[in-house]
Amino acid sequence: MTAPDGQDELEAQFAQWRHYVQHRPELAQADAEELEDHLRGSVDELIGVGLRADEAFLVAVKRMGGLDDLSREFAREHSERLWKQLVLTSEIDSPAADTRSRRDLLAVVICAAGAAASIKVPALFGMNIEEDAPFYARNLSLFALPWLAAFLAWRRQAGPALIGIMLALFALGAVAANVYSLADDSQSAVLTGIHLPIALWFVVGLAYVADKVRSSRRRMDFIRFTGEWFVYLALISSGGGVLISFVFGTFEAIGIVPEDFILQWLLPCGGVAAVVVAGWLVEAKQNVVENIAPVLARLFTPLFTAVLLAFLIALGWTSAGIDVEREALILFDLLLVVVLGLLLYSISARDPLAPPGLFDKLQLALVVSALIVDAMVLLEITGRISEYGTTPNKAAALGENVILLVNLAWSAWLVLGFVRRRTPFSALERWQTGYLPVYAAWAWIVALVFPPLFSYL
C-alpha cells in the first residue's frame, strides 16, 4: 500500500489519471484497471526507496514503457509545470520529435503554397478579384480549407475511406457555391456565402478527429482547436495588416504604388495561406496556447452574463418588442453563438474532477439568460413569418434558433444538475460534442437546399 503521507493528494492524482484512461476508446474497463494496478505498484516501489508521493506518481507514469504516447497525451491535457517537465521534455528534445517537426514544417509549407496557388487558378481563365468579387466571396473557403484538411489528414494519417469522404464533401461544397444561378445580392447567395464555410469547417473537423469520430474527448479537442485556430488567425491577420501598411508606405515613398500587387497577390494568397499556417501553429504550439481557453472563458462569461441579464431587465422595463429584421437577426444569432462558444470553451478547459463552484453558477445564469432570449426571438420570428410570409433569412434564422433552443435548454438542465451535484460533468461534455453534427447538417442544408428553394428571392 502507498504511504499515508500525501495520501489525499495522491488519490486525487490517481483519480485524474483514471478519468483520462477510462475515456480512451481503445481501452476496455479491464485494461484500465490493470494499468492502474501496475501504476500503483510502481508508485509503492518508488515511495519505498524514499520518494515523496507526488514525485513517485509522476515518475511512475513516466516509466510506463509502451504507454509513453498515452502519458504524453495525458500531460498535454493537464498543464501543470511538473507534467510538462517530466513527460514532455524528453519528447521535445528527442531526434524523433525533431524529425517529425521538420516533416510537419515541410507539409505545412506545401499546403500553404497549394492554397496560395489555388486562389490564383481562376485568374488563368480571365477572372479578377475586383471584378469577380462575388465569385471569390462564395468560393473563398474552398481555396483554403481543403488544404488545411489535407495537412491535418496527413498528420493524423487518415485512412483512404475518410479521405474519400472529405474529397466528396469538398466537391459538394464547390457545387453548392457555383451551380445555382442567383443574383449576387440575393438573400440565398448571402446565406450560402455565410453557411458554406461553416459546413466545410466540419469537414476539417473530420480530418482532425480522423478515426476517432465517436470519441467525445477527441471532438472536444476539435472545439479547442477551433478556438485556438481563430486566435492565431486573428494575430496573423493583425500582423499582416501592419506588413501591408509598411509595404504600401515604403514603396509609395519611392514613386511605386503597389496597390495592384497587394490586392491581386499579397492579400488573397497570404490570406488563404494564413488559414493553413494558423492550424499548424495550433498543432505545433499546443503547450503554449492551451491556457487561452480558461482565460477567455473566465474573462468573458461574467461579462456576457451581465449583458444578457441587463438586456432582459431593459426589455421587461420598456415592454418593447424585439426587432427581427435581417441585421437584428444576425446580431441575436451571433450573440447566442458566442454564448454557446463560451460554454463549449469553458467545458473544454475545466477540470472534470473539480467540484462545482461560483463560476459554474455564472455559467448556469448565462445559459438560462440565453435560453430566454432565444425563446423570445423565436416567438417574434414565427409571428413575422405567419403574418408576412417567409424569406431565406427568416427561414435560416428559424432553424438556427430552434437548434440553439434545444441545445441551450438541455445544457441548462445538465449544468443545473451538475451545480446541484446530481449530474456528472462528463454528461455535459458528451452532450455538447455529440450535438456538433446537428450544426453541420443545418449548415449544409442552408448551403445546398435554400438556393433552389428560394430561387425567386
Side-chain angles (χ1 to χ4, degrees), residues 17-298:
W17 185 89
R18 188 187 311 116
H19 178 271
Y20 177 81
V21 171
Q22 288 175 345
H23 280 73
R24 300 283 298 196
E26 66 270 24
L27 292 177
Q29 180 66 28
D31 297 327
E33 292 174 356
E34 183 179 353
L35 291 173
E36 184 176 350
D37 289 340
H38 176 69
L39 180 61
R40 285 183 179 273
S42 299
V43 170
D44 289 339
E45 292 178 5
L46 292 167
I47 290 177
V49 297
L51 269 67
R52 295 200 312 269
D54 56 342
E55 295 174 338
F57 180 81
L58 295 173
V59 174
V61 172
K62 173 64 177 174
R63 290 181 176 178
M64 290 189 71
L67 290 176
D68 276 352
D69 291 338
L70 180 64
S71 300
R72 292 189 188 102
E73 290 187 27
F74 182 59
R76 290 193 184 97
E77 293 286 324
H78 305 89
S79 59
E80 288 81 6
R81 181 174 57 87
L82 283 177
W83 276 111
K84 293 289 175 63
Q85 291 176 343
L86 291 178
V87 182
L88 293 182
T89 303
S90 60
E91 178 189 340
I92 294 172
D93 296 336
S94 67
D98 185 61
T99 301
R100 180 58 186 265
S101 178
R102 292 176 183 274
R103 292 174 59 197
D104 284 354
L105 180 59
L106 177 61
V108 78
V109 167
I110 293 173
C111 291
S118 65
I119 200 170
K120 298 302 295 180
V121 169
L124 300 177
F125 299 92
M127 304 193 74
N128 184 280
I129 290 179
E130 292 182 271
E131 298 175 0
D132 301 289
F135 167 82
Y136 282 94
R138 291 194 307 269
N139 289 274
L140 187 60
S141 57
L142 289 163
F143 295 128
L145 295 185
W147 294 97
L148 176 58
F151 170 71
L152 293 173
W154 173 83
R155 202 170 190 275
R156 299 290 189 278
Q157 298 181 346
L162 180 61
I163 293 174
I165 292 173
M166 290 190 298
L167 288 174
L169 289 174
F170 280 121
L172 187 62
V175 170
N178 298 286
V179 72
Y180 303 115
S181 56
L182 299 171
D184 293 335
D185 59 347
S186 72
Q187 293 183 20
S188 297
V190 173
L191 286 174
T192 298
I194 294 173
H195 287 79
L196 183 60
I198 299 173
L200 295 180
W201 183 253
F202 285 98
V203 183
V204 175
L206 286 177
Y208 186 90
V209 300
D211 59 344
K212 298 179 181 178
V213 178
R214 297 184 179 181
S215 170
S216 61
R217 181 188 64 84
R218 197 63 176 160
R219 294 195 299 267
M220 186 58 74
D221 287 344
F222 175 64
I223 292 172
R224 187 183 298 110
F225 171 86
T226 299
E228 293 166 356
W229 170 85
F230 180 80
V231 170
Y232 267 126
L233 186 62
L235 292 174
I236 294 173
S237 300
S238 299
V242 174
L243 174 65
I244 289 173
S245 299
F246 276 112
V247 169
F248 192 88
T250 53
F251 278 84
E252 190 179 36
I254 60 174
I256 299 175
V257 181
E259 185 175 356
D260 287 341
F261 169 75
I262 291 174
L263 292 178
Q264 300 295 330
W265 289 91
L266 188 57
L267 269 177
C269 296
V272 293
V275 171
V276 181
V277 173
W280 166 71
L281 287 173
V282 176
E283 290 286 278
K285 305 295 183 182
Q286 290 179 13
N287 59 326
V288 176
V289 300
E290 64 190 356
N291 288 324
I292 288 178
V295 171
L296 292 179
R298 290 190 176 274

Side-chain angles (χ1 to χ4, degrees), residues 344-410:
L344 289 170
Y345 230 170
S346 300
I347 293 172
S348 72
R350 194 186 191 285
D351 181 359
L353 300 176
L358 176 62
F359 187 76
D360 299 292
K361 295 176 182 178
L362 276 175
Q363 279 189 313
L364 178 61
L366 177 66
V367 174
V368 171
S369 301
L371 178 62
I372 295 172
V373 171
D374 191 19
M376 297 177 68
V377 172
L378 267 175
L379 287 175
E380 291 290 336
I381 293 174
T382 52
R384 291 295 182 94
I385 290 177
S386 62
E387 185 175 358
Y388 300 108
T390 188
T391 66
N393 284 329
K394 290 178 182 177
L398 179 65
E400 288 161 1
N401 281 274
V402 168
I403 293 171
L404 286 170
L405 183 74
V406 174
N407 194 356
L408 289 170
W410 193 245

